Amino acid sequence: MEGCWNSGATNASHGDLTFNVQDYMVLDLPQKTAIAVLCSLLGVLCALENAIVLFLIFSSPRLRRKPSYLFISSLAGADFLASLFFVISFVNFHVFHQEDSRNIFLLKLGGVTMTFTGSVGSLLLTAIDRYLCLRHPAKYKVLLTRGRALVTLTAMWAISAMVSYLPFMGWTCCPGTCSELFPLIPNDYLLSWIIFIAILFVAIFYTYAYVLWKAHQHTSTLAMYQQKRLAGMSRMRLDVRLAKTLGVVLMVLVLCWLPVLALMVYSLAAHLNEHIKKVFAFCSMLCLINSMVNPIIYALRSREIRASAKNCLTRWKNMLRGTRTDSMEDAQKSSVTETEGEIKVT
């Protein structure tokens, strides 16, 4: 398929598009309606859930100092941004057929790619954090300080941004053969990004395999010594809970990303008909579902985040009760003053 942006196109008001961008806009009216409704609902839920997770972490001085929850907050931040970037770009393109200029389109696509890449990268850092905690429990606090965690997060996001914005910096299919799934994106870049994500997945699988194996050992130890109060057992229980949480996240990650990556790989080897392109459009929302499910898993599995939520609710209840009490006292004082005034007048 030939495709290129020509800055000298006469139809500049429609984004200077000179190739048939309609080849990528394959949804009919009922499918557009379904995409719009699903994206709106999933996007709002995803943004709200991840915003709550971020609030609960950063409102707790204890949680925001821990490297583990810095990585989780990075994941929540990536998923929050993904919900915004993906929904806005996806709906505008597939539902409203919005045609942007070359740079604006690549900027939007890079933002979507960066947030989802950052989400996977944050999962990898979270898995590495659990790996270090279980592999070197005595040296964990020395190996992974808050400063090192921030440096690692900065490096991860810098790499994600650089990889995602390579098309914006010039790696496009002009001239050349474009991907049949993404306008202006060459197949060699798409292949490179798939390999990059695959490397991240392999690293995640390796670390999770060790973490889950170690969690199994800890579970056996807990069953053997459950009647004894040994030092460090509460920390071991925490590691087991977090390891199981990561196992659930991994399963959700595979279920949500495998269809999308499989179709991307298939597009590199075969011609895609309109039906497959429609399937890919709907499968793309699985990545948004993954971003929506992550905070639910953490809210259900992490006692510390649940404790932070309870503390916030308690503070808000106390504030409301305090406001109501103050208003009642002011009303009582006002009525007493008015009564005293009436007595003096008489």
Side-chain angles (χ1 to χ4, degrees):
M1 176 185 300
E2 294 182 1
C4 196
W5 253 264
N6 187 349
S7 59
T10 57
N11 194 11
S13 61
H14 285 81
D16 300 327
L17 288 171
T18 61
F19 70 97
N20 189 12
V21 73
Q22 299 298 327
D23 289 343
Y24 298 90
M25 301 172 179
V26 295
L27 301 180
D28 54 30
L29 183 58
Q31 293 165 348
K32 289 179 185 179
T33 304
I35 286 287
V37 173
L38 289 175
C39 279
S40 300
L41 293 177
L42 295 176
V44 170
L45 288 175
C46 182
L48 181 61
E49 291 169 1
N50 285 285
I52 292 174
V53 172
L54 288 171
F55 173 78
L56 293 177
I57 292 176
F58 287 105
S59 64
S60 172
R62 185 168 59 89
L63 292 184
R64 64 172 177 258
R65 287 194 300 265
K66 291 186 175 184
S68 300
Y69 290 99
L70 287 178
F71 296 144
I72 293 176
S73 65
S74 174
L75 175 62
D79 290 337
F80 175 80
L81 293 176
S83 66
L84 299 180
F85 292 171
F86 176 83
V87 170
I88 293 174
S89 301
F90 199 75
V91 171
N92 283 339
F93 186 83
H94 285 287
V95 177
F96 298 109
H97 291 184
Q98 178 178 342
E99 299 178 5
D100 297 306
S101 66
R102 175 184 182 276
N103 290 334
I104 294 298
F105 174 80
L106 292 176
L107 191 65
K108 288 182 177 180
L109 183 61
V112 175
T113 306
M114 182 188 67
T115 52
F116 283 123
T117 304
S119 178
V120 177
S122 298
L123 283 174
L124 174 59
L125 294 181
T126 306
I128 293 175
D129 169 68
R130 290 299 89 205
Y131 176 88
L132 293 175
C133 183
L134 294 173
R135 178 73 174 178
H136 305 286
K139 300 180 181 179
Y140 170 74
K141 292 184 178 180
V142 178
L143 291 174
L144 190 61
T145 61
R146 188 174 187 273
R148 291 179 178 176
L150 291 174
V151 170
T152 305
L153 283 173
T154 302
M156 185 275 294
W157 277 104
I159 294 173
S160 299
M162 182 186 67
V163 170
S164 302
Y165 280 103
L166 285 175
F168 180 75
M169 293 183 284
W171 192 354
T172 62
C173 54
C174 295
T177 303
C178 290
S179 166
E180 296 191 50
L181 295 175
F182 306 99
L184 273 180
I185 301 302
N187 283 332
D188 52 355
Y189 170 78
L190 183 59
L191 176 61
S192 301
W193 184 81
I194 292 173
I195 293 175
F196 177 71
I197 291 295
I199 293 174
L200 295 182
F201 282 164
V202 170
I204 291 175
F205 292 155
Y206 174 80
T207 51
Y208 275 118
Y210 178 85
V211 168
L212 295 177
W213 172 70
K214 204 68 176 177
H216 175 72
Q217 286 187 330
H218 283 182
T219 303
S220 301
T221 303
L222 289 174
M224 186 180 300
Y225 298 103
Q226 62 180 351
Q227 301 299 330
K228 300 179 181 179
R229 295 182 178 179
L230 300 178
M233 291 301 286
S234 59
R235 175 61 178 273
M236 188 180 294
R237 290 189 179 93
L238 175 61
D239 293 337
V240 171
R241 287 195 300 270
L242 289 178
K244 290 181 178 179
T245 297
L246 296 180
V248 175
V249 172
L250 177 60
M251 180 183 66
V252 173
L253 182 70
V254 172
L255 292 177
C256 291
W257 278 86
L258 185 59
V260 176
L261 294 177
L263 288 174
M264 287 183 182
V265 172
Y266 180 76
S267 71
L268 299 175
H271 175 71
L272 302 183
N273 56 38
E274 190 172 292
H275 176 71
I276 296 179
K277 292 180 181 180
K278 291 180 180 180
V279 172
F280 179 79
F282 280 91
C283 286
S284 298
M285 289 191 296
L286 290 175
C287 298
L288 183 62
I289 292 176
N290 177 63
S291 297
M292 184 188 69
V293 171
N294 283 337
I296 297 177
I297 297 174
Y298 293 129
L300 293 176
R301 303 292 299 182
S302 175
R303 288 187 178 181
E304 290 181 295
I305 291 181
R306 292 202 303 269
S308 178
K310 291 180 180 179
N311 291 335
C312 290
L313 291 175
T314 301
R315 288 198 302 267
W316 293 339
K317 288 181 180 179
N318 291 336
M319 290 175 59
L320 290 175
R321 290 175 181 175
T323 302
R324 292 174 181 175
T325 302
D326 293 341
S327 61
M328 290 175 63
E329 291 178 353
D330 292 340
Q332 291 176 353
K333 290 180 181 179
S334 176
S335 62
V336 170
T337 303
E338 292 174 357
T339 304
E340 290 177 349
E342 292 176 355
I343 294 175
K344 290 180 181 179
V345 170
T346 56

